[in-house]
Amino acid sequence: MPFRDLSPDAPRVRVTLDGAPLDLPDGANLAAALLAAGVGSFRATPVSGAPRGPFCMMGACFDCLIEVDGVTRQACMMQVGAGLTLSRPMGKVAE
């Protein structure tokens, strides 16, 4: 596993990702918490559908885009909070 949870004893909160429950550390960086939970692909590119995940972890690259409660946001710029509803924006293949 390339990423690990640095605070395994931290209080956890329940979020959902594409309808599946995940228990993540409360207040942790959302992108880092998802990576530590084994989520590698956060979205797909609009043209080719290629998987994308966090790259810069500082809000410059937009590779960690994820829908949070229906709004597309950068996961690296957010904190984990109880009840977040997350979904991965899926790209479309160009016709």
Side-chain angles (χ1 to χ4, degrees), residues 15 19 25 85:
V15 303
T85 301

Side-chain angles (χ1 to χ4, degrees), residues 10 15 31 39 48 79 84 92:
V15 303
V39 178
S48 70
Q79 289 184 322
L84 291 178
K92 297 178 183 173

Side-chain angles (χ1 to χ4, degrees), residues 24-54:
L24 302 178
D26 191 21
N29 177 278
L30 180 58
L34 288 170
L35 288 169
V39 178
S41 175
F42 286 30
R43 69 179 182 98
T45 59
V47 176
S48 70
R52 305 300 291 179

Side-chain angles (χ1 to χ4, degrees), residues 7-89:
S7 303
D9 297 327
R12 304 285 168 161
V13 293
R14 174 78 37 112
V15 303
T16 60
L17 175 62
D18 295 331
L22 280 176
D23 292 321
L24 302 178
D26 191 21
N29 177 278
L30 180 58
L34 288 170
L35 288 169
V39 178
S41 175
F42 286 30
R43 69 179 182 98
T45 59
V47 176
S48 70
R52 305 300 291 179
F55 179 70
C56 73
M57 295 297 286
M58 63 181 195
C61 74
F62 296 92
D63 279 342
C64 66
L65 290 179
I66 195 160
E67 280 188 24
V68 180
D69 297 327
V71 178
T72 302
R73 306 274 310 266
Q74 290 171 279
C76 71
M77 302 301 287
M78 295 193 63
Q79 289 184 322
V80 173
L84 291 178
T85 301
L86 311 172
S87 60
R88 293 179 249 214

